[in-house]
Amino acid sequence: GRRIHHTEALELLLAAGSTVVAKPDSASGGAGVVLLDTGTLDLAALARAMPNGVLQCFLTPHPAFRELGGEAGTTFRVITTRLPDGSVEAPAGWLSLPRSGEPIVRPGQVTDVVVDMQEGRTLDLATGPGWIRLPKPVGGTRRNFGAFEVPAFQAAREMCVTAHECVAQLGLVGWD
């Protein structure tokens, strides 16, 4: 990789698609996150409204994730941890499905379906609040979560472990 000037970064961002995501730097849990149309984006107004904000490309969800979570898609969260011997593993993961039909997945407004981190398949266990068994489909889908295979599971899991290996000072990392 190479360092690029912020103007080049902005040009690349705007050329990447018709939607950008704007996130206030001080926000957490999806608060204040908005989707903006690049065709009508007023950068000066955005800089005044969100002076320490972050812009990123809108990532189009995988078709299987869109089927589960609608337009917002579904977030696959992987937890990696550094063991006492320095190695890194990914012991936990889950899919976050939006409950409210929002255009983004917001914490606290989701059902989290547990993923078997060896097989890459969902279990019939979720949080919702509290741990619940899933006797029926959730999130507006007809899918049986005990059999859903997470797309590109092994590649995503390996990428998270490899990235965590690059930051030796961190013991635990959550990846979306």
Side-chain angles (χ1 to χ4, degrees):
R2 65 179 176 88
R3 292 186 110 183
I4 60 175
H5 191 269
H6 70 274
T7 55
E8 183 182 352
L10 183 59
E11 288 171 10
L12 291 169
L13 176 71
L14 295 177
S18 62
T19 305
V20 295
V21 180
K23 300 178 178 184
D25 186 45
S26 60
S28 65
V33 174
V34 293
L35 300 179
L36 302 170
D37 183 323
T38 57
T40 59
L41 182 61
D42 182 343
L43 290 173
L46 182 61
R48 286 190 299 276
M50 201 181 291
N52 291 322
V54 175
L55 294 177
Q56 72 179 51
C57 297
F58 177 77
L59 302 175
T60 302
H62 186 281
F65 286 165
R66 187 167 270 177
E67 180 183 331
L68 292 178
E71 287 304 306
T74 299
T75 299
F76 178 34
R77 166 68 55 109
V78 175
I79 302 299
T80 56
T81 185
R82 185 170 303 283
L83 301 176
D85 68 0
S87 64
V88 174
E89 68 177 15
W94 59 89
L95 297 178
S96 293
L97 290 88
R99 290 187 210 151
S100 61
E102 293 214 22
I104 63 171
V105 177
R106 295 184 193 274
Q109 299 174 4
V110 297
T111 297
D112 292 324
V113 181
V114 178
V115 173
D116 177 316
M117 293 303 287
Q118 299 304 312
E119 299 295 322
R121 298 183 190 280
T122 55
L123 304 175
D124 65 347
L125 186 63
T127 62
W131 289 101
I132 57 174
R133 288 280 172 192
L134 294 173
K136 59 183 182 176
V138 296
T141 181
R142 296 174 190 247
R143 236 183 229 288
N144 173 350
F145 285 100
F148 178 75
E149 188 173 326
V150 176
F153 169 76
Q154 289 297 340
R157 183 175 169 267
E158 289 171 16
M159 181 196 66
C160 294
V161 168
T162 300
H164 190 162
E165 289 170 343
C166 296
V167 277
Q169 70 274 23
L170 298 178
L172 181 77
V173 182
W175 310 87
D176 287 347

